[in-house]
């Protein structure tokens, strides 16, 4: 079993889709090991997405991710990183496979409902970004 980080983004939280997304992830076989609701400020969102700092969409991404509550969660399953990325689908919901989170719940490429770690190394770092030691004791 391995762990990954998913974040239900502000668009999905604001539109009342968070519960459906969480249910979809659990029905796909993931076990939720930690979960919380929070609001990121500009400094936090900028630090979290620093890998994209030089990209043209960085400022709009930071603005979007600070526009409302997000729900970071630690998910467990076999090959959790790859599995979550498959379950959520392509970044652009128009290109996402049928039955994926983004096909079902995303509004657009920019407002795509959910973030998923892209490697085991990034998953560990991203989990630590949102969950402190005492929150990760059961993980």
């Amino acid at each position: 079993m391995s762990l990954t980080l998913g974040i239900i983004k502000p668009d999905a939280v604001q539109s009342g889709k968070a519960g459906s997304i969480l249910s979809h992830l659990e029905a796909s076989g993931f076990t939720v090991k930690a979960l919380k609701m929070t609001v990121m400020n500009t400094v936090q969102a900028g630090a979290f997405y620093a890998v994209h700092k030089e990209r043209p969409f960085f400022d709009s991404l930071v603005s979007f991710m600070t526009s409302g509550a997000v729900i970071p969660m630690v998910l467990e399953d076999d090959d959790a990183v790859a599995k979550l990325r498959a379950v959520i689908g392509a970044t652009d919901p128009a290109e996402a496979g049928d039955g994926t989170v983004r096909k079902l719940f995303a509004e657009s490429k920019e407002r795509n409902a959910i973030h998923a770690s892209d490697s085991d190394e990034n998953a560990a770092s991203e989990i630590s970004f949102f969950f402190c030691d005492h929150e990760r004791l059961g993980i």
Side-chain angles (χ1 to χ4, degrees), residues 10-18 105 107:
D11 57 317
V13 173
Q14 291 167 355
S15 63
K17 298 175 184 169
F105 304 109
E107 297 175 24

Side-chain angles (χ1 to χ4, degrees), residues 7-28 64 73 87-94 96-114:
I7 304 172
I8 300 175
K9 294 181 177 182
D11 57 317
V13 173
Q14 291 167 355
S15 63
K17 298 175 184 169
S20 296
I21 291 171
L22 188 57
S23 293
H24 187 85
L25 296 174
E26 288 181 317
S28 296
F64 168 57
M73 59 194 140
V87 167
I88 70 170
T91 302
D92 185 343
D98 289 341
T100 61
V101 171
R102 287 180 172 150
K103 186 66 148 190
L104 295 168
F105 304 109
E107 297 175 24
S108 67
K109 186 175 182 178
E110 292 77 28
R111 299 174 64 83
N112 60 18
I114 191 166

Side-chain angles (χ1 to χ4, degrees), residues 34-108:
L35 176 135
K36 68 167 118 180
M37 182 179 281
T38 189
V39 176
M40 288 195 286
N41 63 38
T42 302
V43 172
Q44 292 166 325
F48 186 80
Y49 286 107
V51 67
H52 298 302
K53 190 168 180 89
E54 302 305 319
R55 296 228 152 111
F57 60 82
F58 177 76
D59 289 337
S60 63
L61 176 61
V62 169
S63 178
F64 168 57
M65 290 301 290
T66 59
S67 68
V70 296
I71 302 174
M73 59 194 140
V74 180
L75 302 169
E76 181 182 60
D77 205 345
D78 292 326
D79 199 14
V81 169
K83 181 174 179 183
L84 181 59
R85 294 187 71 78
V87 167
I88 70 170
T91 302
D92 185 343
E95 298 173 5
D98 289 341
T100 61
V101 171
R102 287 180 172 150
K103 186 66 148 190
L104 295 168
F105 304 109
E107 297 175 24
S108 67

